Amino acid sequence: MKAYAVLYERGERNWSAYVPDLPGCVATGKTREETERRIREAIAFHIEGLIMDGEPVPEPTIEAGTVSVPA
């Protein structure tokens, strides 16, 4: 099992997510929870497509974190 970093962005009307290690792997949803479910499905579909096309599946390399600063 591989763990890929997923970046979530809240928009005015929805959420979006993308996976930096898997270019083109994106998802959107009305809520964060819906978007998490959809990006999980998108990752599986993306990897399946790479394998079917005989392409290498990239290893996870991105690490994400947060930094707190005074407001």
Side-chain angles (χ1 to χ4, degrees):
M1 182 167 288
K2 296 180 182 185
Y4 289 95
V6 176
L7 301 178
Y8 296 94
E9 296 181 49
R10 184 182 354 211
E12 289 184 29
R13 297 185 185 141
N14 69 339
W15 283 81
S16 62
Y18 66 98
V19 184
D21 283 320
L22 301 173
C25 188
V26 299
T28 62
K30 290 185 180 183
T31 64
R32 166 91 185 245
E33 293 78 18
E34 179 182 20
T35 306
E36 287 179 22
R37 181 179 51 77
R38 288 183 172 185
I39 196 67
R40 187 174 292 111
E41 293 169 354
I43 291 168
F45 184 73
H46 191 91
I47 290 172
E48 182 180 317
L50 290 171
I51 292 169
M52 288 177 62
D53 290 342
E55 298 289 329
V57 176
E59 291 296 322
T61 62
I62 302 296
E63 293 184 24
T66 59
V67 176
S68 298
V69 297

